[in-house]
C-alpha cells in the first residue's frame, strides 16, 4: 500500500493544481455526533419500547392468516393499533409525517392457502432538503408458532419480531418532530413468516414509482443480547448482515466483477462499512459478510432483489427454542417466543444504532452516482469520474482506497467539488471508492467505481 513517504500525485479537472496524495483517515465517522443526533439518542426510551412489545404480544397471535376484524386478537387488531400509534406520532410532525395502510391481496401460495389481504403500516417523514432521497427501516409485525400454517395457537412473537417493530416505531416517535434533510420511512410489514410478502410488495411499489432508496434496514429478532442458554451475554453487540455480490447482479455485471474483483464492494457492503463508522459509543455492530443466516431470510432481501442497498440487524446469538415454536415446557425447557426473554434496554441500544445510522445518512449527501474508473488505456495512473450531486450544501468529494486484501477503506484524499480526478496509483493494485461530503463534514457511504470506456 502507498505510504505517506511514497511519491504520489493527483490532478483534478483542468484548473486544479497538483497536490501530494497523503495517506489519510478513511472513516466516515470523522464528525462527532451533532447536538440533534445526541438528543435523538437520549430520547429513545426502553420503557416505551417495552410498552410496544407488551401491547403486540397482548394480541395473542399476529399470524398473517389470523383474524383481521377481531378488535382484540389477531393480526387485524395489531395492524389497527400500530396504525393509530403512528398517526399519534405523526400529529406532532407539523404535517411532515404521513401514515398509510398499504394493503394488497396475496394470491394462493405454499404458505397462503386462500387469497389473503396483507397490510403494511408505513410512516413517511418527508425530507426538508432532498426529499427524493429515501432511507427505510422496518420490523415485521406478523408472528408464528411451530406449524407455519397454524393461525390459532398463541404466537407471542415478542422477539420475532415485536422487538423490530418496536425499534421502527420508537424511531418514528422520536424523529417525528425533527426535520431530516432526506426522507425516512418507518414501516411495520406483514406476511414475513409466510414468505416476505409484505416487504416484497412494499419494495415493488417503490421500484415502480422510481423511488430513490439509498439504504434499507430490516430489524428482525433484536430482542436480547442474552441467548438464555448459559453462554455469556453480549448485551452491547448486534449483528448486521450485509451481502457482497449484489442479489440483483446481472450476467453482464457478473462477468465484469469476475474480471476486476469487487466481490467485497457491492452497495450493501459499503452500507455495512458506513454503519460501523457511525455506530454510537457503547455499542458494537458486528458486521457479518453474508446476506443472512443459514436457512433463514428477512425483509431486506425483498429490497435487495430490486437493486436497493439493504441489510439486516439481528441479535448476537439466537436461542432457537424461542423462535418459531409452540409455547410449551418440554423436558424442563421453556419453548416459545415469550416476552420474558426480551431485554428492553438492549432493544433500545439497537434502536440507537438504527437512529445514528439513519440520521447520519439523511444529514449527509447522497451516495455518489455514476462513479466509473477509466479503462480506455493501459496506464499506471487511475482516473475516476462521477456525477455532481445536487445537494445545496455539497462541499466536495473524497477518494478512498485500500489494499485489495484489506476489509475496510484505509486511506482517503479530499479532491474538492469536482467530477474527475486522476491519481498516480495503479488501479490494478488497490480498490478505489468515492464519497461525498457536505459543508458540516458529514460523509456519504462510499460508491465503488465500475469500469467505463
Amino acid at each position: 500500500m502507498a505510504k505517506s513517504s511514497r511519491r504520489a500525485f493527483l490532478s483534478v479537472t483542468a484548473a486544479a493544481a497538483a497536490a501530494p496524495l497523503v495517506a489519510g483517515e478513511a472513516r466516515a465517522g470523522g464528525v462527532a455526533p451533532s447536538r440533534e443526533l445526541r438528543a435523538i439518542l437520549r430520547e429513545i426510551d426502553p420503557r416505551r419500547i417495552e410498552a410496544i412489545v407488551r401491547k403486540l404480544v397482548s394480541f395473542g397471535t399476529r399470524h398473517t392468516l389470523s383474524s383481521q376484524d377481531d378488535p382484540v386478537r389477531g393480526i387485524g387488531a395489531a395492524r389497527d393499533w400500530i396504525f393509530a400509534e403512528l398517526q399519534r406520532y405523526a400529529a406532532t410532525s407539523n404535517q411532515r409525517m404521513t401514515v398509510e395502510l398499504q394493503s394488497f391481496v396475496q394470491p394462493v401460495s405454499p404458505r397462503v392457502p386462500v387469497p389473503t389481504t396483507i397490510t403494511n403500516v408505513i410512516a413517511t417523514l418527508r425530507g426538508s432538503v432532498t426529499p427524493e432521497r429515501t432511507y427505510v427501516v422496518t420490523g415485521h409485525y406478523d408472528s408464528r408458532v411451530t406449524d407455519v400454517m397454524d393461525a390459532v395457537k398463541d404466537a407471542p412473537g415478542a422477539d420475532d419480531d415485536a422487538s423490530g417493530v418496536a425499534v421502527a416505531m420508537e424511531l418514528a416517535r422520536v424523529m417525528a418532530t425533527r426535520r431530516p434533510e432526506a426522507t425516512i420511512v418507518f414501516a411495520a410489514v406483514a406476511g414475513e413468516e409466510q414468505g416476505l410478502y409484505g416487504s416484497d410488495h412494499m419494495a415493488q411499489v417503490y421500484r415502480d414509482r422510481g423511488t430513490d432508496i439509498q439504504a434499507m434496514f430490516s430489524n428482525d429478532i433484536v430482542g436480547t443480547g442474552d441467548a438464555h442458554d448459559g453462554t455469556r451475554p453480549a448485551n452491547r453487540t448486534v449483528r448486521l448482515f450485509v451481502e457482497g455480490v449484489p442479489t440483483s447482479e446481472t450476467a453482464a455485471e457478473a462477468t465484469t466483477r469476475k474480471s476486476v474483483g469487487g466481490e467485497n464492494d457491492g452497495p450493501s457492503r459499503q452500507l455495512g462499512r458506513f454503519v460501523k463508522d457511525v455506530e454510537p459509543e457503547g455499542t458494537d455492530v458486528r458486521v457479518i459478510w453474508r446476506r443472512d443466516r443459514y436457512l433463514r431470510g428477512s425483509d431486506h432481501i425483498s429490497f435487495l432483489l430490486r437493486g436497493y442497498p439493504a441489510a439486516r440487524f439481528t441479535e448476537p446469538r439466537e436461542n432457537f427454542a424461542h423462535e418459531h415454536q409452540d409455547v410449551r415446557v418440554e423436558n424442563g425447557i421453556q419453548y416459545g417466543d415469550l416476552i420474558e426473554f426480551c431485554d428492553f434496554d438492549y432493544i433500545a441500544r439497537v434502536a440507537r444504532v438504527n437512529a445514528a445510522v439513519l440520521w447520519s445518512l439523511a444529514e449527509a449527501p447522497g451516495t455518489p452516482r455514476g462513479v466509473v474508473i477509466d479503462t480506455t488505456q493501459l496506464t499506471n495512473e487511475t482516473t475516476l469520474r462521477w456525477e455532481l450531486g445536487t445537494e445545496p450544501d455539497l462541499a466536495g468529494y473524497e477518494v478512498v482506497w485500500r489494499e485489495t486484501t484489506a476489509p475496510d477503506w484505509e486511506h482517503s484524499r479530499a479532491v474538492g467539488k469536482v467530477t474527475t480526478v486522476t491519481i498516480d496509483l495503479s488501479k490494478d493494485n488497490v480498490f478505489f471508492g468515492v464519497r461525498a461530503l457536505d459543508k458540516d463534514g458529514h460523509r456519504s457511504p462510499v460508491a465503488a467505481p465500475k469500469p467505463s470506456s
Side-chain angles (χ1 to χ4, degrees), residues 16-36:
L21 185 64
V22 179
E25 177 57 62
R27 288 172 61 86
V31 177
S34 66
R35 179 180 300 178
E36 188 84 8

Side-chain angles (χ1 to χ4, degrees), residues 364-368 391 394 396-398 434-438 442-445:
T367 305
E391 293 86 358
L394 179 67
Y397 294 89
E398 291 179 336
V434 178
R435 66 186 174 207
L437 67 157
D438 66 16
H442 301 115
R443 291 167 170 83
S444 75

Side-chain angles (χ1 to χ4, degrees), residues 76-401:
R79 172 202 63 212
D80 294 345
W81 179 80
I82 294 169
F83 181 61
E85 281 295 289
L86 290 176
Q87 283 188 309
R88 189 164 65 84
Y89 305 160
T92 68
S93 72
N94 196 23
Q95 301 184 327
R96 290 187 299 275
M97 179 180 282
T98 58
V99 185
E100 65 175 307
L101 293 173
Q102 184 187 73
S103 296
F104 65 99
V105 176
Q106 174 60 39
V108 173
S109 69
R111 292 186 175 186
V112 179
V114 296
T116 300
T117 298
I118 294 177
T119 302
N120 301 320
V121 191
I122 301 173
T124 302
L125 181 60
R126 183 174 174 81
S128 60
V129 179
T130 53
E132 67 279 0
R133 183 160 54 97
T134 303
Y135 301 96
V136 178
V137 60
T138 70
H140 71 85
Y141 70 99
D142 59 309
S143 63
R144 60 165 287 186
V145 289
T146 305
D147 180 357
V148 72
M149 303 302 289
D150 187 340
V152 176
K153 288 179 184 171
D154 281 351
D159 194 356
D160 185 13
D161 184 35
S163 64
V165 174
V167 167
M169 291 182 66
E170 179 66 355
L171 294 182
R173 181 189 71 83
V174 171
M175 292 188 183
T177 58
R178 265 86 184 186
R179 296 175 61 88
E181 292 186 16
T183 295
I184 304 177
V185 174
F186 314 87
V189 299
E192 193 270 353
E193 302 289 7
Q194 307 309 113
L196 310 183
Y197 290 125
S199 61
D200 188 75
H201 179 82
M202 180 183 178
Q204 188 60 48
V205 168
Y206 281 132
R207 175 53 66 199
D208 291 343
R209 292 174 182 169
T211 305
D212 180 20
I213 295 177
Q214 297 199 5
M216 179 273 181
F217 298 95
S218 168
N219 285 266
D220 193 352
I221 310 179
V222 293
T224 181
D226 185 349
H228 301 277
D229 61 0
T231 58
R232 184 176 180 178
N235 291 323
R236 298 188 181 277
T237 300
V238 61
R239 290 182 291 173
L240 180 70
F241 284 84
V242 289
E243 69 175 15
V245 177
T247 293
S248 60
E249 183 181 71
T250 66
E253 289 168 338
T255 298
T256 299
R257 173 180 53 77
K258 291 171 185 176
S259 68
V260 302
E263 293 82 2
N264 195 23
D265 280 298
S268 296
R269 190 60 53 81
Q270 308 297 356
L271 198 58
R273 293 184 175 110
F274 183 92
V275 171
K276 191 63 181 173
D277 284 344
V278 302
E279 65 183 359
E281 185 178 353
T283 59
D284 178 22
V285 177
R286 182 180 181 183
V287 180
I288 309 292
W289 284 355
R290 288 193 172 104
R291 187 173 74 169
D292 212 320
R293 301 102 74 237
Y294 281 101
L295 305 177
R296 306 290 282 276
S298 189
D299 293 303
H300 65 302
I301 295 174
S302 298
F303 286 76
L304 293 172
L305 286 166
R306 273 80 181 178
Y308 292 127
R312 183 242 176 94
F313 283 110
T314 200
E315 62 197 31
R317 181 181 173 90
E318 297 167 84
N319 186 323
F320 299 106
H322 300 162
E323 300 173 14
H324 300 183
Q325 295 283 350
D326 292 349
V327 178
R328 67 193 190 281
V329 176
E330 191 174 289
N331 297 324
I333 298 173
Q334 176 68 64
Y335 289 83
D337 193 354
L338 300 171
I339 198 166
E340 65 198 66
F341 299 121
C342 284
D343 177 346
F344 306 110
D345 288 326
Y346 176 83
I347 302 173
R349 289 190 196 103
V350 175
R352 292 186 188 105
V353 170
N354 278 259
V357 173
L358 289 165
W359 193 258
S360 297
L361 286 167
E363 294 301 283
T367 305
R369 295 183 180 279
V371 182
V372 296
I373 191 166
D374 192 315
T375 57
T376 58
Q377 55 187 328
L378 295 175
T379 173
N380 286 318
E381 293 181 327
T382 300
T383 296
L384 297 162
R385 299 191 298 270
W386 57 90
E387 300 171 12
L388 188 67
T390 59
E391 293 86 358
D393 60 348
L394 179 67
Y397 294 89
E398 291 179 336
V399 172
V400 296
W401 70 97

